[in-house]
Amino acid sequence: MTDRLPSPVTIEEVAAAAGVSRSTVSRVVNGATSVSPSALEAVSKAISDLHYVPNRAARSLASRQTLAIALVVPEETTRFFGDPFFAAIVSGINARIARSDYVLNLFIANSDPGDKMTSYLSRGNVDGAIIVSHHTSDTFIDRIADAVPVVYGGRPVKLRDDDYYVDVDNVRGGREATEYLIGRGHRRIATITGPQTMPAAMDRLTGWREALAAAGLTPGAVENGNFTDEGGAEAMRRILASGERPDAVFAASDLMARGALHALAAAGLRVPEDVALIGFDDSPIATSVSPALTTMRQPSFLQGEEMASMLIDRLAGIAIPNSRIMPTGLVVRESA
Amino acid sequence: MTDRLPSPVTIEEVAAAAGVSRSTVSRVVNGATSVSPSALEAVSKAISDLHYVPNRAARSLASRQTLAIALVVPEETTRFFGDPFFAAIVSGINARIARSDYVLNLFIANSDPGDKMTSYLSRGNVDGAIIVSHHTSDTFIDRIADAVPVVYGGRPVKLRDDDYYVDVDNVRGGREATEYLIGRGHRRIATITGPQTMPAAMDRLTGWREALAAAGLTPGAVENGNFTDEGGAEAMRRILASGERPDAVFAASDLMARGALHALAAAGLRVPEDVALIGFDDSPIATSVSPALTTMRQPSFLQGEEMASMLIDRLAGIAIPNSRIMPTGLVVRESA
DNA sequence: TTGAAAGCGCTAACAG
DNA sequence: CTGTTAGCGCTTTCAA
């Protein structure tokens, strides 16, 4: 192997420059409180003068932490990467991690149970893991969760005692989106759902049902759009083909709403005049289409940041609630 | 910090079990040749009996390698994540890395020059970096390339002597796609390009120009679709609004082709009867739209694998060519 | 072919 | 509040 030079300046040199011992430098680097102001200042100066960056291998070896966090992404990356909602989640995670001493290790999860990734994680090569977007069928999850602290993006499929997650109130989001439609006078309301193997998709559907029931309305068509653009378009086509045309549609993601929009346009229907359409996410898609989408916002970037924060707190031994439910909010634009 | 237990079995215990010294175990683990068959066998047995897994931090500290590779993704993640082409690239990179001793560190690159990431990478905290999809405006690139070996996805904006990259022949791809259109009898051929800050986008445009020039045809409209879905749709609308309607369009990515398809449908134009449309990538999008896209395939997953392979080889001190140009190929479906 | 010995750069008791 | 002292688990000369 070619030798890679590590950071040339060591803690020893910083200590010398600052006129203190290694330990004191270590203390300021690690934010220990018990350092005198003068020492703190001298060390800080030496650090920035010398551009000192701690060697993570040494640190990790001595402290018995890896300082690494795994970001586990499900195999079917097409859907994952195709949705700006996830881009925002990952950006948020990245942003929070960047402010910490941790680095993010990316793993694209292969459901193969003998998987190298699973054993890598199980062997304590990371301090914790963030798992985004999993399905009922993802079996490797449990093995990871047995080995290291995990924070989930979205309520996990089977909730266990020591599960931590960040989510929004999807039932409520679905309900309020639908209530808005009802309040605007719509009566034949269909929905395009996500895959019913995912809690978020199930919950939004539940919300839609609840709102209709509360208003005494008969539920319209329910079609699975699989959380994809094309799936949304197909679901919309099936809805239109199925008989009575709805006067409004609740799509459980903006991506699917976009697909639906195209299907509606292809069918010669105007939005919102003929069919009102409401999305979910308030991702960049919402404003990039025409008409701009009315949608239920969720704070994706913040959710990502919060996921990382929760994990970092847990690793630091700070007690935190098992879940963090972030607020949603209706954003009214043109489509409904 | 909560203590994370590392793999409990150390090289010392393996050595004891095998009746040899630490050094011999280390030699076996690292594949050194100078080990007697009997020692080799004893050590191998001990390793598997004890489920020994070397501690990366210790290994890294002693060997002065990090065993980590950075995956650097440009800030504007919306575009990155929105394109299935990149999903395939990342999957390929991930797959190859998973077969090695390296792990992938994900960095979302912030153009802020004082960036923590840049200094982290510069300080030798990774052995090498893979940089996907960069623009002429991405200034942090040079600083990374100065610090560690880099492999680029696509020819870098400014090619330096020691730059390594994997790419396809985009000029040729653009030319052949356009030649196909010409061969089908089309004469008024427009193009939807990617941002002209990216080599791939520039080259595909060049190929389009070359094919038209060779056929003695007047170039049609050229509109930038920014490598996004909506950008493609807008570019198509501009082309349609600009006067003479083209009888064929070369879109420099499938994502933009999809946008164009929608704009065409909205304008009441049939594909391919009124306007033929050809894409680029052969991403999953190509078959998920209707009509299915005729497109210029590039082997995205393999490109990702190759990027990782090149970097791993370089890090191993293996001499390799500076670039690897992967083949493209026309895939004829329905849209042209 | 093998073992002994010397660190890699850092953290973490433990005294003081 | 600070320095001293031991290692963390592994690789790597250097001799034998």
Side-chain angles (χ1 to χ4, degrees):
Chain A
M1 295 269 186
T2 305
D3 258 9
R4 292 292 332 143
L5 300 179
S7 168
V9 17
T10 72
I11 198 172
E12 205 70 60
E13 305 173 49
V14 175
V20 298
S21 73
R22 280 220 294 282
S23 319
T24 299
V25 177
S26 175
R27 286 183 189 106
V28 346
V29 168
N30 294 294
T33 49
S34 53
V35 176
S36 69
S38 63
L40 176 61
E41 193 191 357
V43 171
S44 303
K45 182 174 186 316
I47 287 178
S48 67
D49 285 354
L50 272 41
H51 299 296
Y52 169 69
V53 176
N55 174 306
R56 50 182 21 256
R59 213 173 171 182
S60 172
L61 181 57
S63 66
R64 306 171 133 289
Q65 297 175 197
T66 65
L67 297 178
I69 286 174
L71 173 58
V72 180
V73 172
E75 175 78 282
E76 17 132 20
T77 40
T78 302
R79 195 182 70 65
F80 179 79
F81 285 105
D83 195 332
F85 166 69
F86 285 111
I89 293 274
V90 172
S91 291
I93 292 172
N94 177 74
R96 179 62 187 88
I97 297 287
R99 279 184 258 121
S100 76
D101 283 335
Y102 291 94
V103 296
L104 212 47
N105 283 98
L106 178 66
F107 293 94
I108 296 183
N110 178 337
S111 18
D112 168 14
D115 192 342
K116 197 189 150 206
M117 172 208 74
T118 315
S119 73
Y120 181 84
L121 300 189
S122 308
R123 296 284 167 59
N125 278 305
V126 298
D127 292 337
I130 295 176
I131 300 178
V132 289
S133 167
H134 70 294
H135 293 248
T136 44
S137 58
D138 294 333
T139 51
F140 57 87
I141 302 285
D142 284 343
R143 300 183 49 215
I144 298 174
D146 286 340
V148 295
V150 165
V151 170
Y152 295 92
R155 175 167 53 85
V157 176
K158 303 179 288 211
L159 193 56
R160 309 193 302 184
D161 280 351
D162 56 342
D163 276 342
Y164 286 71
Y165 65 94
V166 358
D167 208 345
V168 295
D169 186 337
N170 286 296
V171 175
R172 178 174 168 176
R175 189 186 337 113
E176 292 183 353
T178 309
E179 282 168 358
Y180 172 76
L181 260 16
I182 296 170
R184 300 278 290 179
H186 301 291
R187 290 297 174 265
R188 302 186 310 279
I189 305 179
T191 185
I192 299 176
T193 73
Q196 295 298 305
T197 53
M198 301 183 70
M202 303 188 260
D203 289 355
R204 290 174 200 172
L205 175 59
T206 300
W208 172 81
R209 288 218 162 90
E210 286 183 5
L212 294 177
L217 294 176
T218 310
V222 176
E223 291 290 343
N224 175 12
N226 222 20
F227 276 151
T228 66
D229 185 296
E230 191 54 22
E234 284 166 8
M236 192 66 240
R237 280 182 223 119
R238 288 196 300 274
I239 291 172
L240 292 175
S242 72
E244 190 189 35
R245 186 215 294 167
D247 58 8
V249 175
F250 164 49
S253 81
D254 285 350
L255 193 60
M256 294 193 297
R258 179 172 70 186
L261 212 48
H262 290 141
L264 252 7
L269 262 16
R270 293 163 307 162
V271 175
E273 294 82 355
D274 300 325
V275 180
L277 178 64
I278 190 165
F280 204 110
D281 288 343
D282 194 27
S283 79
I285 288 174
T287 51
S288 79
V289 293
S290 173
L293 295 176
T294 290
T295 187
M296 186 57 61
R297 168 179 322 166
Q298 58 175 328
S300 333
F301 185 89
L302 291 178
Q303 287 172 78
E305 278 193 310
E306 187 61 24
M307 290 166 63
S309 281
M310 285 179 75
L311 187 51
I312 290 171
D313 284 348
R314 282 188 70 187
L315 295 178
I318 298 173
I320 54 170
N322 276 64
S323 66
R324 174 78 195 278
I325 305 302
M326 314 283 283
T328 54
L330 186 70
V331 179
V332 177
R333 295 205 180 87
E334 305 160 7
S335 69
Chain B
M1 294 270 186
T2 305
D3 258 10
R4 293 288 334 138
L5 300 181
S7 171
V9 19
T10 72
I11 198 171
E12 204 70 60
E13 304 172 50
V14 175
V20 297
S21 72
R22 279 218 295 282
S23 318
T24 299
V25 177
S26 175
R27 288 184 187 107
V28 171
V29 168
N30 294 293
T33 49
S34 54
V35 176
S36 69
S38 62
L40 176 61
E41 195 192 353
V43 172
S44 302
K45 182 172 185 315
I47 287 178
S48 67
D49 285 353
L50 273 42
H51 300 296
Y52 168 68
V53 176
N55 175 305
R56 332 183 81 244
R59 210 173 175 182
S60 173
L61 181 57
S63 67
R64 306 171 133 288
Q65 296 176 199
T66 64
L67 297 178
I69 287 174
L71 173 58
V72 179
V73 173
E75 174 79 286
E76 16 132 19
T77 41
T78 303
R79 196 182 68 66
F80 180 80
F81 286 106
D83 195 333
F85 166 69
F86 285 111
I89 293 273
V90 172
S91 291
I93 292 171
N94 176 74
R96 179 62 187 87
I97 296 288
R99 280 183 258 120
S100 75
D101 281 338
Y102 291 95
V103 296
L104 212 46
N105 284 113
L106 178 65
F107 292 95
I108 297 183
N110 178 336
S111 21
D112 168 13
D115 193 344
K116 198 190 149 204
M117 172 210 72
T118 315
S119 76
Y120 180 82
L121 299 189
S122 308
R123 284 294 159 191
N125 278 306
V126 297
D127 292 337
I130 295 175
I131 301 177
V132 289
S133 166
H134 69 295
H135 293 246
T136 44
S137 57
D138 294 333
T139 51
F140 56 87
I141 301 286
D142 285 344
R143 300 182 48 214
I144 298 174
D146 286 341
V148 294
V150 165
V151 170
Y152 295 92
R155 176 167 53 84
V157 176
K158 302 179 289 208
L159 193 56
R160 309 194 301 184
D161 280 352
D162 56 340
D163 275 343
Y164 286 72
Y165 64 95
V166 357
D167 208 346
V168 295
D169 186 338
N170 286 297
V171 174
R172 179 175 166 176
R175 190 187 334 114
E176 291 184 353
T178 310
E179 282 168 359
Y180 171 76
L181 259 16
I182 296 171
R184 301 278 290 179
H186 300 291
R187 291 296 173 266
R188 303 185 310 279
I189 305 178
T191 185
I192 299 175
T193 73
Q196 296 298 305
T197 52
M198 300 183 71
M202 302 189 260
D203 289 356
R204 291 173 198 172
L205 176 59
T206 300
W208 173 81
R209 288 219 162 90
E210 286 182 7
L212 295 177
L217 295 176
T218 310
V222 177
E223 291 290 344
N224 176 13
N226 223 18
F227 275 151
T228 65
D229 185 295
E230 191 53 23
E234 283 167 9
M236 191 69 239
R237 281 182 223 118
R238 288 196 300 272
I239 291 173
L240 293 175
S242 72
E244 190 189 35
R245 187 217 295 166
D247 57 8
V249 175
F250 165 48
S253 80
D254 286 350
L255 193 60
M256 295 193 296
R258 178 171 70 186
L261 212 50
H262 290 141
L264 253 6
L269 265 13
R270 294 163 306 162
V271 175
E273 296 82 354
D274 299 325
V275 180
L277 178 65
I278 190 166
F280 203 110
D281 287 344
D282 194 27
S283 79
I285 289 175
T287 51
S288 78
V289 293
S290 173
L293 294 177
T294 290
T295 187
M296 185 59 59
R297 168 180 321 166
Q298 58 176 329
S300 333
F301 185 89
L302 291 178
Q303 288 172 77
E305 278 193 310
E306 186 62 24
M307 289 165 63
S309 281
M310 284 179 76
L311 187 51
I312 289 171
D313 284 349
R314 282 189 70 186
L315 295 178
I318 298 172
I320 54 170
N322 276 64
S323 67
R324 174 78 194 279
I325 306 301
M326 313 283 283
T328 54
L330 186 71
V331 179
V332 177
R333 294 203 182 88
E334 304 160 8
S335 70

